[in-house]
Amino acid sequence: MIDHSHGMSPVSLVDEERAYTLCGDVAATERFTFGSATVGIGDTGTLIIVAAGDAFDRSCVWNADEVRLIGPAPTPVRQRLLQEPWERDTTEAKLPVHLAVRTSEGLVYLGTGSVTQAETVVQPGRNEHVFSGCALRLHSSLSQADLDRVRPPLPPSDLPNLEWLRHVDDQRATALAQFVTGWYPPEAETAAPPSVPGPSLDLPDGLRQFYRLAQHRPRCLGAQNRVLPLSKLHTDATGEMLVFGEENQGCFSWTLLWTLDGPETDPTVWFSEEDEPAIAEEEPLSGFLIQFSLFEASMGADYVALSWRLTAEQVGRLVEALLPVPLRPFWSAAPTRFYVAPGLVLHVTDEGRDNGFSARAGATHRSALIPLAGLVEWDRFDG
């Protein structure tokens, strides 16, 4: 393996001008500053410098394995990071991308990384794609001490409480309302707020309540999958089932029996996948909406812990410090159970006999993930 570090060892303080020698001829290196980031582009490499700190809207170290670069960025940055790696001859080594953080004590070199995810947007009236951001995975993970050095911990925050959990058994409408309003802050009124079902739309009470909650908290309609907006509700091809939810790529849907006699008080929810026979969810609508909300909260959270493959023993260790949600498994295709703590939702999915279990935790604040650190080997950990 070629060493492109010029003798710099991660994680270490370096002179900024020396850091630019990683790009090649310093005099010929182009430098671009946007937001809190500076990118140096040279003939032998790229240097990305971000500011120390922790924020959604600016470039920074996100976790022990990831640095986020937030645009908009100049065209040469987009070309270097997103186009050139794929345009260069496959027999030629890719130019290294070096990552560093500007701190109060100086420039801290993190080592090299690779782009794992990127986004571009098209400017109105123009065909050019503008770089809006990317995630870069460090080739060597940061220790907790080094992570705290370049991404100082956020101050403590009030976490959503678990008052809703005690109502799951006997007052599910209350539980749903308390969870949704506790997890999602209300959003400002828009010119055309989501409509609320009127008397003429004969929906079950649980679904009517969910739409009322979504009027001021539209994110509760889903981040991965979604409950359809009122305007998108429709019956299936037979006219017998009301389609009210769907998977993000349309591969499956959730339906309710649609009759002229009016809705049941707490109807069965049916899972329908393409041409397969529909399967009843284990919980009726009142429990399903709580499960859906928990799943989408963990999927759409800003702070995530994720492990793709766990044994039953590892799952037991992971959930020991959490409270189980007393509902039967969600999602018949891949049975999923939920465990919670203040500001945190963990879902554990049975992936089948040969694949064990997967787990994903979503949190409203990094601090809520800290108790999970080190319990299992995480593929991503934002604590």
Side-chain angles (χ1 to χ4, degrees), residues 303-332:
Y303 305 104
V304 170
L306 173 66
S307 186
W308 290 113
R309 195 157 188 163
L310 297 171
T311 64
E313 180 182 0
Q314 289 171 317
V315 169
R317 187 163 67 246
L318 181 58
V319 304
E320 192 172 24
L322 304 177
L323 294 176
V325 177
L327 293 169
R328 288 166 289 191
F330 172 63
W331 198 15
S332 301

Side-chain angles (χ1 to χ4, degrees), residues 112-312:
T112 56
S114 301
V115 175
T116 57
Q117 182 179 348
E119 295 180 356
T120 61
V121 295
V122 179
Q123 289 186 327
R126 300 174 61 182
N127 291 327
E128 182 182 6
H129 285 258
V130 176
F131 175 98
S132 58
C134 73
L136 299 109
R137 187 171 184 86
L138 291 163
H139 294 155
S140 296
S141 299
L142 301 174
S143 67
Q144 187 61 54
D146 287 332
L147 179 59
D148 290 343
R149 181 183 181 188
V150 297
R151 192 206 66 189
L154 289 169
S157 172
D158 290 336
L159 299 173
N161 63 45
L162 297 180
E163 177 68 15
W164 61 272
L165 188 60
R166 69 187 185 92
H167 298 297
V168 170
D169 282 332
D170 56 359
Q171 298 180 57
R172 290 182 172 179
T174 299
L176 177 64
Q178 289 183 345
F179 174 76
V180 169
T181 56
W183 188 272
Y184 298 104
E187 297 186 17
E189 288 283 358
T190 60
S195 53
V196 175
S200 60
L201 192 56
D202 210 4
L203 298 177
D205 288 343
L207 200 52
R208 293 173 66 85
Q209 177 206 20
F210 195 68
Y211 283 122
R212 285 194 293 269
L213 291 169
Q215 186 175 19
H216 297 288
R217 293 170 171 83
R219 288 177 60 199
C220 77
L221 290 175
Q224 174 74 9
N225 308 312
R226 66 172 185 158
V227 167
L228 297 174
L230 274 169
S231 61
K232 302 292 185 182
L233 291 178
H234 61 277
T235 56
D236 66 0
T238 68
E240 296 178 349
M241 308 297 290
L242 177 70
V243 180
F244 75 94
E246 66 179 11
E247 193 254 356
N248 59 12
Q249 297 180 0
C251 294
F252 63 77
S253 61
W254 286 293
T255 63
L256 301 172
L257 185 63
W258 188 247
T259 70
L260 297 177
D261 298 329
E264 298 177 49
T265 302
D266 195 10
T268 298
V269 176
W270 295 89
F271 173 91
S272 302
E273 188 173 14
E274 296 180 347
D275 298 326
E276 298 294 322
I279 302 172
E281 289 282 353
E282 293 198 38
E283 288 289 343
L285 182 64
S286 61
F288 171 87
L289 289 173
I290 295 173
Q291 294 173 319
F292 175 88
S293 298
L294 292 169
F295 186 84
E296 295 304 314
S298 62
M299 294 301 295
D302 293 319
Y303 305 104
V304 170
L306 173 66
S307 186
W308 290 113
R309 195 157 188 163
L310 297 171
T311 64

